[in-house]
């Protein structure tokens, strides 16, 4: 179970809630909306969109905003 919060993206593993390490640089910390579509998890924020296909995370450039630095 993934959780979107104002402090970042988290995952529940057993009884623990752990921050998600996407491996993206800079780190994804802006996701406050989660949506799963066709086996892909999307995390959407005000300045950042990332997707997880079950194997790797990918950042999608947000239209109208400069790339996250």
């Amino acid at each position: 179970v993934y959780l979107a919060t104002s402090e970042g993206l988290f995952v529940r593993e057993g009884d623990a809630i752990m921050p998600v390490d996407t491996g993206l640089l800079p780190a994804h910390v802006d996701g406050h909306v989660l949506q799963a579509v066709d086996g892909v998890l999307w995390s959407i924020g005000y300045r950042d969109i990332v997707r997880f296909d079950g194997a790797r995370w990918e950042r999608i450039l947000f239209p109208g905003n400069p790339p996250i630095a």
Side-chain angles (χ1 to χ4, degrees):
V1 173
Y2 286 88
L3 307 163
T5 74
S6 59
E7 286 81 34
L9 184 60
F10 294 82
V11 64
R12 180 175 176 210
E13 295 182 6
D15 291 334
I17 308 267
M18 309 293 294
V20 172
D21 179 8
T22 64
L24 297 172
L25 293 175
H28 174 64
V29 295
D30 186 31
H32 61 274
V33 174
L34 289 176
Q35 181 72 42
V37 178
D38 295 329
V40 175
L41 179 68
W42 293 86
S43 179
I44 302 164
Y46 291 111
R47 293 200 52 219
D48 203 12
I49 300 172
V50 299
R51 65 186 297 275
F52 182 61
D53 64 8
R56 73 179 194 95
W57 289 91
E58 176 186 7
R59 177 170 274 119
I60 309 299
L61 292 180
F62 198 98
N65 281 339
I68 304 267

